[in-house]
Amino acid sequence: MKQLARELQVNLGERSYPIRIGRDLGNDISGFITALTKEGRQGAVLIDDHFLNSQPEFSQQIISGIPHLIIPSGEGSKSVEQLTRGWNFLTASKIDRSGFLIAVGGGVVGDLAGFVAASYLRGVSFYQVPTTLLSMVDSSVGGKTGINLEAGKNLIGSFHQPDCVWADLDLLNSLPAREFSAGMAEVVKYGMLADRGLFEQLLDSSVALCPSSPALPELIHRCCSIKAKIVQADEREMSGLQGGRALLNLGHTFGHAIEKVAGYGTYLHGEAVAIGLVCAFRLSQFLGKCTKHSESDILNLLTSYNLPCLLKEPVKLADLNLAMYADKKVKRGVLRFVVMEEIGDAYCIEGVQSDLVDRVWTSVGAIA
Ligand SMILES: NC(=O)c1ccc[n+]([C@@H]2O[C@H](COP(=O)([O-])OP(=O)(O)OC[C@H]3O[C@@H](n4cnc5c(N)ncnc54)[C@H](O)[C@@H]3O)[C@@H](O)[C@H]2O)c1
C-alpha cells in the first residue's frame, strides 16, 4: 500500500525540487510520467540492468509506454561509451528540449543519466528514482553528475539538479545485504558530520536496520535534510575552508585512497568510507578533538553493519599518501581533511602534520 512517509524540499531558487520518501511509490511515479507526457513532453528512462531483473514489476510500471535504455550494472558504466549510448538513445527517442530523462538505479545510473541530461541539448529535465540506500541518502540529491576516466573517478561531470527524487524504500528489498551495509556507512557519516542525535540513535538501537525497518524513512529523511542544507548553502562546492559541501567528504579523503590503492572493486565505496570514518575519527583525536565519544562506539556501530574498520589486506603507506595527493579535491598541492570537533560537528582543516596522517594509516593496517 502506498505510503508517502516523508517529503522535503531542496531550496535552490528556480532549481528547487522535492524529495519524496515512502513505500510503494510506483503509481505515484508512473502517474507523474503520464501527466508530463499528456503535456506533450517526451520522456525516456535509463535503468540499471540488475535492478530491472530484480524488480520487474516496478520496472515495468515505470518503463511501459516510454522508451528505456538498459544500463549494464556496475561502476564501469560511468564511461564515455555509455554516455554516447545515452545521447544516441535520446536522439533516437526524439527527445527535444522540453523532454525529460528518468534515472532508475543506484549512484552509477544516477550519475550517468544526470550527466546525459545535463549535456544533451545543453540540458533537459531529469528525475531520479534511486534504488540503493547509498543513492537514496546521498548520490540522488545535490546535482553532482558525471562519469569516470581511466585517470580517475568522476573527472568529467557537471552540476545538474534533478526536478524530483522519489525514494521508494520497497525497492531496497532486493538490494544485496552488502550494498545495504555500504549505504549505512554514508548514513553513519551524516551522523558523524552533522547530527550527533542520529549517530547516538544508531548506536542505541539494539537491532541493525534493514530495508523493512519502520525507522528507515525517517532516517533517510534526516540524511537528505542534512545534505539539502549543505547543498543549499554551497551548491557548487565553492566554500573552501569554511566547509560547505566539502564536509560531505568526511571519511572520503582516506576512503578514496583506499579504493584506488586496493584496486577499484576490492571495496565497495561505502566499505572504504567506513574505514575512512575510523581514520577521520582517529585523526580528530590525534588533534585533541572528539573526546565525548569513545572509539569503540564507532567501531561497534560499523561492525554491526558488517562494515570493515581495518584494511582487508595491508597496503603500503606511501601508496596511500600518493593516492591522497592525486585526489581531485587537493587544491594547489594542499591536502585538506574533514575532521570533527565532536561527533556531529565536522570542519575542514589544512596543514595536518604528515606523521599524524601516517599514524592514522598505520592504525588501520597500512605498512611501511
Ligand atoms: N553524485 C553524487 O553526489 C554521488 C555521491 C556518492 C556516490 N556517488 C556515486 O555513486 C556510485 C555508487 O552508487 P551505488 O552504491 O548506488 O552503486 P551502484 O549504482 O553500482 O549499485 C550497486 C549495485 O546494486 C545493484 N542494484 C541497485 N539497486 C538494486 C536493487 N534495488 N535491487 C538489486 N540490485 C540493485 C546494481 O546493479 C549494482 O550492482 C559511485 O559511482 C559513486 O561515485 C555519487
Side-chain angles (χ1 to χ4, degrees), residues 48 50-51 54-55 73-75 78 105-109 111 131-132 134-135 138-139 141 144-145 153-154 171-172 174-176 179 186 227 245 269:
D48 180 279
H50 268 178
F51 176 77
S54 309
Q55 301 243 3
S73 159
E75 189 68 30
K78 279 174 58 173
V108 164
V109 171
D111 280 9
T131 63
T132 62
L134 182 139
S135 54
D138 197 349
S139 61
V141 178
K144 277 194 182 176
T145 71
K153 275 189 65 165
N154 301 325
L171 306 186
L172 300 177
S174 56
L175 186 69
E179 296 285 353
E186 299 286 354
K227 182 146 185 188
R245 239 183 134 135
H269 174 68

Side-chain angles (χ1 to χ4, degrees), residues 240-243 246-247 253-254 280 283-284 286-289 334-341 346-353 356-357:
L241 254 192
Q242 275 87 54
L247 294 176
T253 312
F254 293 102
L283 181 60
S284 308
F286 292 161
L287 294 166
K289 314 286 184 184
V334 179
L335 196 52
R336 179 180 298 170
F337 289 95
V338 186
V339 288
M340 292 153 284
E341 194 65 48
Y347 66 99
C348 287
I349 183 172
E350 285 177 351
V352 174
Q353 287 173 335
L356 288 188
V357 179

Side-chain angles (χ1 to χ4, degrees), residues 44-115:
V45 176
L46 259 57
I47 187 163
D48 180 279
D49 189 11
H50 268 178
F51 176 77
L52 177 64
N53 292 323
S54 309
Q55 301 243 3
E57 238 174 77
F58 176 90
S59 301
Q60 281 310 323
Q61 204 175 1
I62 304 303
I63 63 181
S64 63
I66 179 171
H68 68 278
L69 181 69
I70 301 172
I71 303 297
S73 159
E75 189 68 30
S77 283
K78 279 174 58 173
S79 64
V80 175
E81 186 198 342
Q82 294 300 327
L83 177 65
T84 312
R85 249 187 106 217
W87 286 331
N88 289 333
F89 163 68
L90 293 195
T91 317
S93 307
K94 304 203 171 6
I95 304 292
D96 63 19
R97 293 215 59 201
S98 72
F100 60 94
L101 182 61
I102 302 175
V104 183
V108 164
V109 171
D111 280 9
L112 170 71
F115 190 55

Side-chain angles (χ1 to χ4, degrees), residues 45-320:
V45 176
L46 259 57
I47 187 163
D48 180 279
D49 189 11
H50 268 178
F51 176 77
L52 177 64
N53 292 323
S54 309
Q55 301 243 3
E57 238 174 77
F58 176 90
S59 301
Q60 281 310 323
Q61 204 175 1
I62 304 303
I63 63 181
S64 63
I66 179 171
H68 68 278
L69 181 69
I70 301 172
I71 303 297
S73 159
E75 189 68 30
S77 283
K78 279 174 58 173
S79 64
V80 175
E81 186 198 342
Q82 294 300 327
L83 177 65
T84 312
R85 249 187 106 217
W87 286 331
N88 289 333
F89 163 68
L90 293 195
T91 317
S93 307
K94 304 203 171 6
I95 304 292
D96 63 19
R97 293 215 59 201
S98 72
F100 60 94
L101 182 61
I102 302 175
V104 183
V108 164
V109 171
D111 280 9
L112 170 71
F115 190 55
V116 171
S119 48
Y120 179 76
L121 301 180
R122 299 195 184 86
V124 293
S125 297
F126 162 57
Y127 297 90
Q128 289 259 26
V129 182
T131 63
T132 62
L133 181 59
L134 182 139
S135 54
M136 288 182 189
V137 297
D138 197 349
S139 61
S140 66
V141 178
K144 277 194 182 176
T145 71
I147 59 165
N148 305 327
L149 291 182
E150 249 170 54
K153 275 189 65 165
N154 301 325
L155 291 183
I156 305 294
S158 72
F159 290 95
H160 189 58
Q161 300 292 344
D163 285 3
C164 182
V165 179
W166 287 272
D168 182 342
L169 276 67
D170 283 349
L171 306 186
L172 300 177
N173 291 338
S174 56
L175 186 69
R178 189 176 166 203
E179 296 285 353
F180 185 85
S181 289
M184 280 308 297
E186 299 286 354
V187 173
V188 174
K189 175 195 81 173
Y190 281 112
M192 288 175 73
L193 85 90
D195 190 343
R196 194 166 123 194
L198 168 63
F199 181 83
E200 287 174 347
Q201 182 188 326
L202 292 170
L203 205 58
D204 292 345
S205 63
S206 50
V207 273
L209 291 162
C210 65
S212 59
S213 299
L216 204 55
E218 167 61 21
L219 196 87
I220 292 176
H221 182 271
R222 234 157 135 167
C223 295
C224 289
S225 305
I226 295 170
K227 182 146 185 188
K229 204 167 151 200
I230 290 176
V231 169
Q232 282 160 199
D234 182 23
E235 187 183 1
R236 290 181 166 246
E237 201 161 341
M238 306 293 272
S239 279
L241 254 192
Q242 275 87 54
R245 239 183 134 135
L247 294 176
L248 295 165
N249 287 322
L250 180 69
H252 284 61
T253 312
F254 293 102
H256 285 153
I258 293 168
E259 278 183 282
K260 190 165 183 185
V261 174
Y264 288 108
T266 309
Y267 294 87
L268 294 181
H269 174 68
E271 293 170 343
V273 166
I275 304 174
L277 291 174
V278 174
C279 292
F281 181 80
R282 288 198 180 133
L283 181 60
S284 308
Q285 288 207 320
F286 292 161
L287 294 166
K289 314 286 184 184
C290 277
T291 51
K292 291 194 184 139
H293 281 85
S294 75
E295 186 181 289
S296 59
D297 287 344
I298 290 161
L299 301 184
N300 290 340
L301 181 53
L302 295 173
T303 312
S304 70
Y305 286 98
N306 295 318
L307 288 163
C309 299
L310 280 175
L311 294 168
K312 294 182 196 172
E313 298 283 340
V315 289
K316 285 199 179 143
L317 183 62
D319 292 345
L320 290 164

